[in-house]
């Protein structure tokens, strides 16, 4: 569901009877998603412009993730775009608990170890956040 097309999150949830997520592109402010954050299950912060793989990770999207995590601690926050072994710690430390990683896995000689690294980084960041409370 795109914010510009439909402002009725609850009707989408009822129609599909499933979890609801909203995505924001790099040019969309996180404040545009905020009014619906208590009605959705997941927020996706795009860390590249959507459309094709292999783009460079946009670190300047991490404040959006941090803001969402601070305002909505129980919300699932996903990042997608340029996420791999070199960038996962920035995502996890900012508050992302769901990761999309395409090119980093496909380009790897050992995708299982990359997946393990991504999972470990997220799990460690979640544990650290829970200890910091």
């Amino acid at each position: 569901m795109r914010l510009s097309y439909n402002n009725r999150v609850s009707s989408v949830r009822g129609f599909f009877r499933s979890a609801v997520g909203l995505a924001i592109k790099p040019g969309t402010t996180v404040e545009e998603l905020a009014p619906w954050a208590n009605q959705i299950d997941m927020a996706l912060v795009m860390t590249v412009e959507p459309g094709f793989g292999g783009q460079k990770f946009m670190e300047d999207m991490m404040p959006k993730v941090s803001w969402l995590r601070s305002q909505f601690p129980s919300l699932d926050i996903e990042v997608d775009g340029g996420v791999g072994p070199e960038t996962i710690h920035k995502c996890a430390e900012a508050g992302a608990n769901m990761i999309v990683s395409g090119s980093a896995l496909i380009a790897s000689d050992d995708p299982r170890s990359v997946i393990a690294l991504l999972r470990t980084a997220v799990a460690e960041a979640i544990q650290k956040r829970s200890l910091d409370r």
Side-chain angles (χ1 to χ4, degrees):
M1 181 172 92
R2 291 178 55 184
L3 294 175
S4 59
Y5 282 39
N6 188 334
N7 293 334
R8 296 179 294 170
V9 171
S10 60
S11 65
V12 171
R13 181 186 303 281
F15 181 76
F16 290 109
R17 299 180 194 268
S18 65
V20 174
L22 290 176
I24 55 173
K25 294 173 25 172
T28 304
T29 66
V30 71
E31 290 81 10
E32 292 180 63
L33 183 145
W36 293 277
N38 287 319
Q39 301 174 50
I40 62 175
D41 302 291
M42 186 266 299
L44 167 60
V45 176
M46 294 298 300
T47 50
V48 296
E49 288 294 340
F52 59 94
Q55 296 180 62
K56 188 174 188 280
F57 175 76
M58 298 171 75
E59 188 173 348
D60 58 337
M61 296 299 107
M62 293 303 95
K64 293 179 182 184
V65 175
S66 296
W67 187 87
L68 284 167
R69 179 58 62 216
S70 70
Q71 299 300 306
F72 307 98
S74 62
L75 182 64
D76 280 332
I77 302 171
E78 182 175 56
V79 291
D80 181 1
V83 181
E86 302 81 28
T87 57
I88 184 60
H89 294 286
K90 293 171 186 166
C91 300
E93 289 167 9
N97 64 316
M98 299 174 73
I99 305 297
V100 176
S101 183
S103 297
L105 295 175
I106 293 168
S108 173
D109 292 334
D110 188 1
R112 289 179 194 264
S113 68
V114 173
I115 291 169
L117 184 146
L118 299 175
R119 285 182 173 163
T120 299
V122 171
E124 287 174 354
I126 291 169
Q127 183 176 18
K128 183 181 182 311
R129 276 193 303 278
S130 68
L131 293 173
D132 289 345
R133 287 187 207 166

